[in-house]
Amino acid sequence: MLNYIWGFMIVIGIIFGALNGTLPDMADAMLNSGKEAVTLCITMLGVISIWTGLMEIAQETGMIDGAAKKLESFVTFMFPDIPKGHEARGYISTNIIANMLGLGWAATPAGLRAMESLAELEKTRVCKVRGNVEQSDIHRTASKEMCTFLVLNISSLQLIPVNMIAYRGQYGSVNPTAIIMPALIATGISTIAAIIFCKCMAVRE
C-alpha cells in the first residue's frame, strides 16, 4: 500500500511541476536530496558502527548481563507471568537497555527474539489448557505479555538519543546534544504512561 501511496505522490508532483513550469527545480531538488541522503547514510553508518561495537564490548564484558539483572525486578513487575529464568526475560531486558541508549537498530533483534520467545511461551500455555491446537490458531491473537512488551517498546525511555544527536549534528546544529534533556523528559512521561496503561489493562482482566 505504501508503494502505491508514494508512487501516487511522485506522479502528482511531476504533473504539478510540469503544469507550473518547475520541472528543472524538481530535478535539482531530487539530485540534491539524493546526495544528502547518501551523506546522511554514511554519517549514520559510522554512528551505528561505533555504538554497535560498544554494545558488543558491553555484552562480552558482562555489562549487559549486569544491567539486565538490575532490570530483573522491573521485568517481574511488568511481566509477572513469565517464569523466572525464561529466555524471554533476557531478550526483553536487552531490548530495554538498547532503547535506553537510543540504539533502535540494536534493540530490534532482541525485540524480535523476545516476541518469538513469548509466542512459544503462549503456545505452551494454550497446549496445556486446550491440548493440541493448530499453530495458526495460537498466533491469531497476541498474548498479554506480547502486548505489554510492544507498548513498552514503543514508549521507549531514552537516556541518550543517539539517532537524534547524529541527525542534528549532520544538519549543522550548534549544540546537537541539547536534545538529551527534552528527549529524556518526553520519553520518561511516555514510559510512565505506558506502565500505567499496561497495569490498568491487567487489572481489567
Side-chain angles (χ1 to χ4, degrees):
M1 178 59 72
L2 285 176
N3 290 335
Y4 290 112
I5 293 174
W6 280 108
F8 176 76
M9 291 173 64
I10 291 171
V11 171
I12 291 298
I14 292 173
I15 293 173
F16 184 81
L19 293 175
N20 286 274
T22 57
L23 279 178
D25 295 332
M26 286 184 59
D28 290 340
M30 291 173 65
L31 291 174
N32 290 332
S33 297
K35 178 182 176 182
E36 187 175 329
V38 171
T39 303
L40 180 60
C41 286
I42 293 173
T43 300
M44 293 307 299
L45 179 61
V47 174
I48 291 171
S49 299
I50 291 172
W51 281 95
T52 303
L54 290 175
M55 282 289 289
E56 287 294 323
I57 293 171
Q59 184 76 48
E60 292 295 324
T61 56
M63 293 175 65
I64 297 297
D65 292 336
K69 289 179 181 177
K70 298 291 184 183
L71 288 172
E72 185 68 23
S73 57
F74 175 74
V75 173
T76 300
F77 173 70
M78 294 303 301
F79 305 92
D81 295 331
I82 299 180
K84 290 287 181 79
H86 195 276
E87 63 177 6
R89 286 175 168 266
Y91 293 138
I92 290 171
S93 297
T94 302
N95 177 268
I96 292 173
I97 293 167
N99 274 327
M100 288 173 66
L101 296 175
L103 306 176
W105 53 84
T108 299
L112 293 175
R113 291 193 186 100
M115 280 296 190
E116 290 172 357
S117 185
L118 291 173
E120 287 300 318
L121 178 62
E122 184 66 10
K123 177 182 176 182
T124 302
R125 288 174 181 164
V126 173
C127 288
K128 282 182 180 178
V129 175
R130 293 162 50 189
N132 255 347
V133 293
E134 291 291 330
Q135 186 145 350
S136 58
D137 292 335
I138 296 173
H139 291 297
R140 196 167 293 163
T141 305
S143 67
K144 64 179 181 180
E145 287 89 2
M146 295 170 77
C147 293
T148 298
F149 175 64
L150 181 62
V151 172
L152 284 177
N153 189 60
I154 292 172
S155 66
S156 184
L157 174 67
Q158 289 193 4
L159 301 179
I160 308 174
V162 175
N163 282 351
M164 290 305 300
I165 292 172
Y167 289 142
R168 285 166 59 85
Q170 174 66 26
Y171 288 106
S173 173
V174 177
N175 186 11
T177 57
I179 193 69
I180 291 178
M181 186 53 66
L184 180 59
I185 294 171
T187 57
I189 292 172
S190 67
T191 300
I192 292 171
I195 292 171
I196 294 172
F197 172 79
C198 291
K199 285 303 175 181
C200 288
M201 295 302 294
V203 169
R204 287 183 61 183
E205 291 183 359

